[in-house]
Amino acid sequence: GQQVMQIPQYQHVQEGEDFTTYCNSSTTLSNIQWYKQRPGGHPVFLIQLVKSGEVKKQKRLTFQFGEAKKNSSLHITATQTTDVGTYFCAGDDSGGSNYKLTFGKGTLLTVNP
Amino acid sequence: EAQVTQNPRYLITVTGKKLTVTCSQNMNHEYMSWYRQDPGLGLRQIYYSMNVEVTDKGDVPEGYKVSRKEKRNFPLILESPSPNQTSLYFCASSFVENTEAFFGQGTRLTVV
C-alpha cells in the first residue's frame, strides 16, 4: 500500500532560523495536504497542492509539490515561537476512487526563543 | 460555528466493556473518517465514510466498528476494548473526499 515518509522526525531551531520538512510518497499522488498540530491540539489544515511543480506561499510558509507528484516540502522562513507544533503531510493516491488520505508521521518543530 | 464535535474528550475504561465515541459535524460534509494517533506512528485511519450508509475500512480497522445512519454523525464503536486500543482518537470530516479535513478536538482513551 501507499507509504508517505516524512523527515526529519524532530527539528529544534533557534527563533529566527529557517525550517524545512520533507515528504516522500512511494506512489504518485493526486494531491497533497499539509496540517499543523499544536501541542495538545488537533490537526489543522494548512494547504492543499494539486498540480505538478506547484508552489504556494502563506506569509512565512512556502509549500512545494514535486514535478513527479511524489514529494513535497514545507519551508518556514524565520521561525517564531508560534510555529511550534507537529507538521504533517497527507497524500492521496486514489486517483479519485476509494479515496484515502495517508498521513506521514509528522515533524515535531520546537523553537528556542 | 463550523465544527466537528467528539465526545467524550477523555475516557478511562476496562478491558471488554463496550464503548462508543460520538462524532458530529455541522457542516453538511459527506466524507467522515476516524484516526488514531500514537507516538511515533502519526495518524492512522481506522474507518471512513463517503456518505450515509457507505463505510469502508482504513489502515487499522481491527477491533472497531462504525456506522453512518445520518450525514452529520459518525460514531466509533469498540465492542470489546483492549489495552492496545489505548490511544488518542480523532474524527474528521470534509465536504467531499479530496478536500480540506476538519478535525474534532480528540478523545483520549485509556483501556486498563
Side-chain angles (χ1 to χ4, degrees):
Chain A
Q2 178 194 7
Q3 290 191 347
V4 175
M5 310 298 290
Q6 197 172 347
I7 57 170
Q9 192 173 0
Y10 308 97
Q11 184 78 59
H12 177 74
V13 300
Q14 289 292 127
E15 190 171 21
E17 292 181 339
D18 292 357
F19 159 77
T20 304
T21 174
Y22 300 91
C23 189
N24 290 285
S25 170
S26 57
T27 58
T28 301
L29 300 171
S30 299
N31 66 79
I32 195 156
Q33 299 176 4
W34 285 91
Y35 292 80
K36 176 184 178 180
Q37 184 178 21
R38 294 183 188 274
H42 59 280
V44 175
F45 176 83
L46 294 176
I47 207 159
Q48 178 171 284
L49 305 173
V50 179
K51 298 177 184 176
S52 168
E54 190 169 15
V55 178
K56 287 189 176 180
K57 292 191 176 184
Q58 290 179 350
K59 298 182 181 178
R60 295 178 295 104
L61 277 61
T62 302
F63 304 84
Q64 293 189 351
F65 200 11
E67 294 289 341
K69 300 184 76 173
K70 296 180 75 171
N71 59 74
S72 181
S73 65
L74 158 59
H75 179 82
I76 302 178
T77 303
T79 54
Q80 301 175 357
T81 55
T82 53
D83 295 325
V84 164
T86 301
Y87 293 85
F88 292 97
C89 62
D92 159 36
D93 72 344
S94 63
S97 62
N98 296 323
Y99 173 74
K100 184 173 166 299
L101 202 60
T102 299
F103 280 80
K105 293 182 179 180
T107 297
L108 173 60
L109 172 65
T110 55
V111 179
N112 199 29
Chain B
E1 181 189 353
Q3 60 185 1
V4 178
T5 304
Q6 289 178 233
N7 279 296
R9 293 288 312 279
Y10 303 91
L11 178 61
I12 301 174
T13 190
V14 296
T15 299
K17 186 176 180 183
K18 180 179 179 179
L19 67 92
T20 299
V21 184
T22 63
C23 175
S24 181
Q25 49 94 3
N26 63 358
M27 296 169 278
N28 202 36
H29 285 171
E30 291 190 354
Y31 187 88
M32 297 185 75
S33 57
W34 275 102
Y35 295 88
R36 62 177 289 174
Q37 185 173 31
D38 302 289
L41 297 178
L43 288 154
R44 294 180 293 167
Q45 192 179 55
I46 303 170
Y47 268 94
Y48 65 93
S49 170
M50 305 273 279
N51 213 324
V52 175
E53 301 292 1
V54 180
T55 63
D56 208 346
K57 297 177 180 178
D59 293 317
V60 288
E62 293 78 20
Y64 304 95
K65 284 175 58 177
V66 293
S67 68
R68 188 91 181 273
K69 295 186 172 66
E70 307 164 279
K71 198 170 189 178
R72 64 184 294 127
N73 296 323
F74 190 45
L76 179 69
I77 303 155
L78 285 72
E79 295 268 3
S80 182
S82 62
N84 63 13
Q85 293 179 296
T86 292
S87 187
L88 177 58
Y89 291 87
F90 287 103
C91 178
S93 74
S94 338
F95 180 60
V96 291
E97 66 271 18
N98 215 20
T99 56
E100 171 185 357
F102 293 80
F103 282 79
Q105 298 293 320
T107 296
R108 185 164 294 280
L109 172 67
T110 302
V111 183
V112 298

